[in-house]
């Protein structure tokens, strides 16, 4: 049986958010290092995210997945963006340590409500995985492919 997971929007000034915030920010950093998705310095990126969350930047959504006993078992980091006059929620990071279908579904539902309240029309994300679950389980569709060509002699 799956452990019930609660998804919260993290506010470092709140009681629960204040307790999990340091661990969550470390997860943000570790995700960048492990996944190597963001082509930015992991420390600078993480500090910028932390500062924006502390400043209550309403364009940033940081979610924590918690067990009933308070264990942090997942997170999502999203940002409201505007492309061509259309607002959308862009998923920068999504990681769940205990894959349970309803955990990600809950995150998507919270993200959609958050984006809709700010005039968003969709959720976009990029992933290095070709996991069919994103399309079959969660309703995402491939919109475009990101092609990368590295320069010779450059890492």
């Amino acid at each position: 049986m799956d452990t019930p997971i609660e998804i919260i929007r993290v506010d470092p000034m709140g009681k629960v958010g204040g307790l999990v915030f340091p661990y969550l920010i470390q997860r943000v950093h570790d995700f960048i290092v492990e996944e190597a998705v963001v082509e930015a310095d992991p420390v600078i990126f993480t500090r910028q995210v932390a500062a924006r969350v502390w400043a209550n930047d309403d364009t940033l959504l940081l979610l924590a997945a918690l067990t009933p006993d308070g264990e942090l078992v997942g997170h999502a980091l999203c940002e409201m963006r505007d492309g061509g006059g259309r607002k959308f929620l862009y998923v920068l990071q999504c990681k769940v340590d205990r894959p349970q279908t309803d955990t990600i579904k809950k995150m998507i539902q919270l993200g959609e409500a958050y984006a809709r309240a700010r005039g968003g029309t969709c959720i976009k994300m990029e992933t290095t995985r070709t996991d069919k679950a994103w399309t079959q389980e969660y309703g995402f569709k491939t919109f475009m492919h990101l092609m990368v060509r590295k320069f010779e002699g450059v890492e």
Side-chain angles (χ1 to χ4, degrees):
M1 184 172 159
D2 290 342
T3 304
I5 303 294
E6 182 179 357
I7 311 299
I8 64 163
R9 180 173 184 194
V10 175
D11 175 1
M13 295 298 291
K15 291 180 182 179
V16 176
L19 290 171
V20 300
F21 184 71
Y23 302 101
L24 199 49
I25 286 299
Q26 187 62 52
R27 284 179 66 96
V28 167
H29 175 271
D30 293 347
F31 184 94
I32 296 170
V33 172
E34 292 165 12
E35 299 291 327
V37 174
V38 176
E39 293 180 357
D41 181 289
V43 172
I44 292 171
F45 178 84
T46 304
R47 287 182 177 174
Q48 289 172 339
V49 167
R52 289 176 64 191
V53 173
W54 267 107
N56 199 26
D57 181 342
D58 194 48
T59 64
L60 201 65
L61 176 64
L62 183 58
L63 300 175
L66 302 167
T67 64
D69 58 347
E71 183 184 358
L72 180 61
V73 294
H75 79 283
L77 174 62
C78 310
E79 179 179 48
M80 284 299 299
R81 293 189 177 173
D82 190 334
R86 298 186 119 183
K87 292 183 179 183
F88 60 92
L89 185 66
Y90 188 78
V91 180
L92 297 162
Q93 297 183 2
C94 182
K95 183 174 182 180
V96 178
D97 302 337
R98 297 181 188 168
Q100 295 175 337
T101 305
D102 68 332
T103 301
I104 292 177
K105 282 184 179 176
K106 287 178 186 177
M107 287 181 172
I108 291 169
Q109 289 169 348
L110 282 171
E112 182 175 334
Y114 169 86
R116 281 180 182 268
R118 287 153 185 80
T121 60
C122 67
I123 298 174
K124 296 182 181 182
M125 67 179 287
E126 64 183 80
T127 178
T128 57
R129 297 181 180 100
T130 57
D131 189 356
K132 290 186 179 181
W134 289 113
T135 56
Q136 293 173 348
E137 293 282 332
Y138 309 116
F140 284 87
K141 295 180 178 156
T142 301
F143 175 69
M144 67 176 66
H145 296 278
L146 177 64
M147 306 289 288
V148 177
R149 182 180 183 275
K150 298 211 175 195
F151 300 143
E152 263 186 56
V154 179
E155 287 188 40

